[in-house]
């Protein structure tokens, strides 16, 4: 009996130790990727273990990105992000993680050094009290001429904590989170496809000496001037059909190889929304989440939605895999077609020769019941932009109801 008791105890101990070694420690972690110049881009994620299974939630402001594809092998951990075709490969060292983050860009892989520390809820240290509160709207030139982008920065500061985003003509920089410490401003985010770090100094009503670090090697300058009236051009004014055209036409295959055409009977006498997107595009993800709900709300009233995917490679098998991942992630109920074209400048317009241009992803084409293109919207301001997001939805759905009431 004593021998059996000892054996049972050892078995339980082994089982417990195996479980402890094959799950990440529950709680808030601080992850860090490093650029090729050694600049650290931090983010936070929460690890939760339920019935022996680990689930992660990547944290950016109010956003939580659920990650379930986590595998263990010996002291190694493999974390595959749900979108953007990227993966962490790391070793457990003294309870923490040390390894690499690798992202597939279609034609090549890019890898960044990665570390993560358990029980670390802070993103940036705050050794000093904030010198000012920078809450408000700012006119922000981002980058260098001739590629400088005029954006609008919107920030909310509570104590040292800072959240916000940058609005541009092609979308927003999603949920940014950080701090103000002394005269220093820090904001960052990570979504599996993009890791961003913004830094700047406060100088009165200005933000100066700004740096924007993105992914492995991109670095841009930025500055900001507080301006409550700062705004972008009307997103419906940026592109159009070429002169002489009123209608859109295309035929592409869906992920199962079925040919789908805008001239199919399914779309006759319907309000049709054509979504130009890519599985690599974060603003496209925000728009897709909205359009899934929109489709559920308006499909029975006479609305159809079609997604046109422009992936980073012309390899159909690779594009098929990433687009299927997108469809499964959002449970997309409408067709998403593989165009065979990339997002490279000029490619989308080649696939839709009646378009004057495609300036950004996503681009949304609104077609009335007569089959005429009514409006074209460039970019998408997601839920991280607050009232800009809700204002878009209100206007978009008002236009939908108006077109549904028209004669075909």
């Amino acid at each position: 009996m004593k021998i059996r008791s000892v054996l049972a105890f050892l078995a339980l101990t082994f089982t417990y130790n195996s479980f402890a070694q094959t799950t990440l420690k529950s709680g808030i972690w601080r992850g860090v990727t490093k650029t090729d110049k050694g600049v650290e881009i931090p983010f936070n994620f929460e690890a939760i273990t339920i019935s022996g299974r680990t689930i992660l939630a990547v944290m950016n402001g109010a956003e939580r990105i659920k990650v379930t594809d986590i595998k263990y092998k010996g002291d190694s951990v493999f974390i595959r992000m749900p979108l953007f075709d990227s993966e962490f490969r790391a070793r457990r060292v003294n309870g923490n993680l040390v390894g690499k983050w690798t992202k597939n860009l279609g034609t090549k892989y890019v890898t960044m050094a990665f570390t993560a520390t358990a029980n670390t809820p802070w993103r940036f240290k705050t050794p000093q009290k904030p010198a000012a509160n920078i809450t408000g709207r700012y006119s922000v030139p981002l980058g260098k001429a001739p590629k400088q982008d005029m954006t609008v920065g919107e920030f909310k500061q509570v104590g040292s904590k800072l959240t916000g985003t940058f609005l541009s003509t092609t979308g927003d920089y999603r949920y940014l989170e950080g701090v103000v410490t002394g005269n220093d401003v820090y904001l960052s985010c990570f979504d599996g496809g993009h890791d961003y770090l913004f830094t700047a100094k406060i100088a009165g009503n200005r933000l100066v000496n700004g740096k924007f670090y993105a992914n492995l090697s991109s670095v841009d300058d930025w500055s900001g001037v507080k301006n409550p009236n700062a705004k972008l051009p009307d997103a419906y004014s940026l592109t159009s059909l070429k002169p002489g055209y009123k209608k859109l036409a295309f035929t592409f295959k869906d992920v199962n190889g079925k040919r789908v055409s805008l001239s199919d009977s399914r779309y006759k006498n319907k309000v049709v929304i054509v979504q130009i997107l890519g599985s690599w595009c974060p603003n496209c993800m925000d728009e897709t989440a909205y359009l899934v709900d929109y489709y559920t709300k308006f499909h029975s009233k006479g609305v159809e939605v079609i997604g046109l995917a422009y992936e980073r490679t012309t390899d159909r098998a690779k594009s098929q895999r990433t687009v299927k991942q997108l469809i499964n992630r959002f449970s997309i109920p409408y067709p998403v077609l593989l165009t065979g074209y990339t997002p490279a400048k000029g490619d989308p317009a080649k696939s839709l020769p009646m378009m004057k241009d495609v300036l950004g992803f996503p681009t949304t084409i609104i077609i009335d019941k007569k089959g005429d293109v009514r409006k074209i919207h460039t970019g998408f301001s997601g839920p991280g932009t607050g009232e800009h997001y809700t204002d878009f939805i209100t206007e978009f759905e008002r236009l939908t109801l108006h077109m549904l009431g028209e004669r075909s």
Side-chain angles (χ1 to χ4, degrees):
M1 292 295 293
K2 289 183 178 180
I3 293 175
R4 288 181 182 177
S5 297
V6 170
L7 290 175
F9 173 77
L10 290 174
L12 286 171
T13 302
F14 177 78
T15 300
Y16 172 79
N17 287 338
S18 297
F19 174 79
Q21 290 174 4
T22 56
T23 57
L24 294 179
K25 185 176 180 64
S26 294
I28 307 298
W29 290 63
R30 182 178 186 261
V32 173
T33 60
K34 276 191 178 182
T35 73
D36 58 356
K37 298 294 188 295
V39 176
E40 294 188 346
I41 303 179
F43 64 98
N44 295 105
F45 63 89
E46 183 176 12
I48 304 168
T49 300
I50 302 174
S51 301
R53 183 187 179 199
T54 304
I55 297 173
L56 304 183
V58 178
M59 307 162 68
N60 296 299
E63 179 184 51
R64 298 293 182 271
I65 301 172
K66 185 178 179 181
V67 184
T68 58
D69 190 351
I70 303 161
K71 295 181 174 62
Y72 302 92
K73 185 176 180 180
D75 65 350
S76 297
V77 182
F78 306 93
I79 304 169
R80 186 158 192 83
M81 296 302 295
L83 292 169
F84 307 122
D85 203 8
S86 75
E87 181 182 36
F88 292 97
R89 291 172 173 253
R91 292 183 301 107
R92 282 171 287 192
V93 179
N94 298 324
N96 301 317
L97 297 177
V98 178
K100 303 287 185 181
W101 174 53
T102 300
K103 181 170 63 170
N104 182 5
L105 298 184
T107 57
K108 64 178 181 179
Y109 289 87
V110 174
T111 297
M112 298 177 69
F114 163 74
T115 57
T117 308
N119 297 322
T120 311
W122 53 270
R123 182 173 297 217
F124 300 96
K125 290 183 177 179
T126 54
Q128 303 178 59
K129 291 183 178 180
N133 190 306
I134 67 168
T135 296
R137 181 178 291 190
Y138 291 73
S139 296
V140 178
L142 197 158
K144 301 181 181 70
K147 295 183 178 181
Q148 190 175 72
D149 190 12
M150 289 304 300
T151 71
V152 175
E154 291 198 345
F155 311 118
K156 182 178 180 180
Q157 181 181 339
V158 178
S160 295
K161 185 175 181 180
L162 184 66
T163 55
T165 194
F166 293 85
L167 305 167
S168 77
T169 54
T170 56
D172 64 277
Y173 285 71
R174 308 191 77 254
Y175 294 88
L176 300 174
E177 180 180 343
V179 299
V180 176
T181 174
N183 284 307
D184 293 313
V185 175
Y186 299 95
L187 284 163
S188 70
C189 78
F190 176 83
D191 62 13
H194 309 80
D195 54 342
Y196 294 153
L197 170 66
F198 292 86
T199 66
K201 296 279 188 181
I202 302 171
N205 68 342
R206 300 175 62 89
L207 299 174
V208 300
N209 301 327
K211 292 291 184 183
F212 168 39
Y213 303 91
N215 303 316
L216 179 64
S217 57
S218 177
V219 186
D220 272 317
D221 296 328
W222 70 280
S223 59
V225 179
K226 198 165 191 178
N227 178 4
N229 299 315
K231 65 179 182 179
L232 298 170
D234 180 4
Y236 287 104
S237 70
L238 298 175
T239 192
S240 62
L241 297 184
K242 291 176 180 176
Y245 286 93
K246 294 175 61 178
K247 299 182 186 296
L248 195 68
F250 57 78
T251 301
F252 300 113
K253 292 181 180 180
D254 67 12
V255 292
N256 298 314
K258 179 183 176 182
R259 294 172 68 86
V260 177
S261 174
L262 192 56
S263 61
D264 292 344
S265 59
R266 171 177 178 173
Y267 305 108
K268 187 177 181 180
N269 301 325
K270 300 285 185 69
V271 171
V272 182
I273 308 301
V274 178
Q275 178 195 22
I276 294 177
L277 75 152
S279 66
W280 47 269
C281 162
N283 296 127
C284 299
M285 303 306 98
D286 287 336
E287 184 184 52
T288 298
Y290 164 66
L291 284 178
V292 168
D293 290 339
Y294 169 87
Y295 183 86
T296 301
K297 183 176 180 179
F298 287 99
H299 180 240
S300 63
K301 296 178 172 65
V303 171
E304 294 287 352
V305 179
I306 310 173
L308 303 183
Y310 294 81
E311 296 302 286
R312 282 177 162 151
T313 173
T314 56
D315 185 310
R316 181 175 173 82
K318 291 181 179 178
S319 296
Q320 189 177 39
R321 178 176 61 82
T322 54
V323 172
K324 279 186 175 180
Q325 186 179 20
L326 169 69
I327 292 170
N328 293 335
R329 174 68 176 182
F330 291 100
S331 300
I332 299 176
Y334 52 83
V336 180
L337 313 183
L338 300 175
T339 64
Y341 290 81
T342 74
K345 185 173 177 59
D347 252 21
K350 287 179 186 176
S351 71
L352 301 169
M354 62 291 300
M355 291 280 291
K356 190 174 182 180
D357 200 359
V358 176
L359 299 177
F361 285 77
T363 291
T364 310
I365 304 168
I366 303 167
I367 300 172
D368 65 21
K369 291 196 290 185
K370 293 180 180 179
D372 293 339
V373 172
R374 184 66 67 88
K375 287 190 173 187
I376 300 176
H377 187 278
T378 300
F380 187 78
S381 295
T385 68
E387 65 179 22
H388 300 283
Y389 175 66
T390 55
D391 287 348
F392 167 81
I393 291 174
T394 299
E395 181 182 358
F396 191 74
E397 297 189 0
R398 184 185 296 124
L399 176 59
T400 298
L401 291 170
H402 176 75
M403 291 193 299
L404 285 172
E406 296 174 338
R407 290 184 179 180
S408 57

